[in-house]
Amino acid sequence: MNILWDFDGTIFDTYPTIVKAFKKLVKDDSVTEAEILKQMKISSEVAIKHFNVEKSVFDENFHVLEHQLSPEDKPAFPHVEDVLKWADKNVIVTHKSRESTLAILAYFGMEDYFTEIITKDDGYKRKPDTGAYAYLHDKYHLDLVIGDRELDLKPARELGIKTCAFQNDALEADYHLSSYDQFFNKVIDKNS
């Protein structure tokens, strides 16, 4: 099975650090981390508009602030390595920078699980545009896309690739997981 993965909130539990970084850009001190998380789980564009953060301020500062937080604070989700080891090929499409993505993968010794990684630095339009997915699907004949947000799964549905929603039962998906220890029963057994 060849799997395309989202990165933040799907392989690594990075939302706590994403929320901390974004909170520094919000001018209203009464905004809670829970409110930021709710909007960021939709997309950064939605959060930017919702909290009236200037796009130029976000573009200049967010990734710098988030990158300053230690990879130690961005752990892999439990049992995700079992799925990565099992898959034939794993690829990533992320809005994160290549430097930040590779730093986290290297910190946890997980870089060798991935055949190809597409980051914001590679020039593709942001998800939910299908460009990066179509390129990887043509190259690797993807069987499954795993993500935690609608923008992760929408391009897969448009390309006819099966989808798996991670920790988000509200998403339209072929499979839903709350933890990766469910993967082999919920996804693989259904495909056997």
Side-chain angles (χ1 to χ4, degrees):
M1 182 177 277
N2 296 336
I3 305 174
L4 183 153
W5 298 80
D6 169 51
F7 190 87
D8 291 309
T10 300
I11 302 172
F12 292 94
D13 187 8
T14 56
Y15 278 116
T17 58
I18 286 170
V19 167
K20 283 180 187 168
F22 191 85
K23 189 161 175 53
K24 292 179 181 180
L25 303 178
V26 177
K27 294 185 172 124
D28 182 352
D29 291 337
S30 70
V31 171
T32 67
E33 290 187 357
E35 291 172 298
I36 292 171
L37 177 60
K38 182 180 177 184
Q39 300 305 316
M40 289 298 277
K41 285 285 269 183
I42 300 169
S43 75
S44 57
E45 274 81 21
V46 167
I48 289 165
K49 288 177 187 163
H50 184 83
F51 297 111
N52 297 315
V53 173
E54 289 183 38
K55 179 84 167 89
S56 61
V57 170
F58 177 85
D59 290 344
E60 289 174 27
N61 298 294
F62 174 75
H63 292 288
V64 172
L65 291 168
E66 200 268 335
H67 187 65
Q68 289 171 351
L69 299 169
S70 172
E72 180 181 8
D73 297 326
K74 305 167 189 177
F77 283 102
H79 308 289
V80 72
E81 278 195 85
D82 298 336
V83 179
L84 292 167
K85 287 176 190 173
W86 173 85
D88 296 313
K89 286 191 175 34
N90 296 292
V91 295
I92 293 173
V93 175
T94 181
H95 292 157
K96 208 171 208 55
S97 72
R98 179 164 301 281
E99 178 186 3
S100 180
T101 301
L102 295 177
I104 295 168
L105 288 169
Y107 183 86
F108 291 102
M110 294 173 65
E111 62 268 43
D112 291 340
Y113 291 127
F114 299 96
T115 305
E116 190 161 352
I117 300 169
I118 293 180
T119 70
K120 72 175 192 145
D121 304 321
D122 292 312
Y124 286 95
K125 290 182 182 176
R126 291 175 65 87
K127 297 182 274 186
D129 184 83
T130 59
Y133 284 49
Y135 160 76
L136 290 169
H137 189 39
D138 288 344
K139 189 169 180 180
Y140 300 109
H141 309 288
L142 302 170
D143 300 295
L144 185 68
V145 171
I146 304 177
D148 67 301
R149 301 185 293 175
E150 172 61 16
L151 61 83
D152 300 321
L153 303 185
K154 186 174 187 265
R157 288 194 304 267
E158 289 179 14
L159 295 168
I161 307 167
K162 288 195 179 278
T163 56
C164 179
F166 182 66
Q167 295 188 342
N168 192 338
D169 288 337
L171 295 180
E172 176 191 337
D174 295 293
Y175 312 102
H176 292 85
L177 301 176
S178 57
S179 172
Y180 287 110
D181 60 355
Q182 302 170 324
F183 181 84
F184 297 100
N185 290 334
K186 286 192 168 187
V187 178
I188 301 311
D189 284 354
K190 286 187 175 182
N191 279 318
S192 297

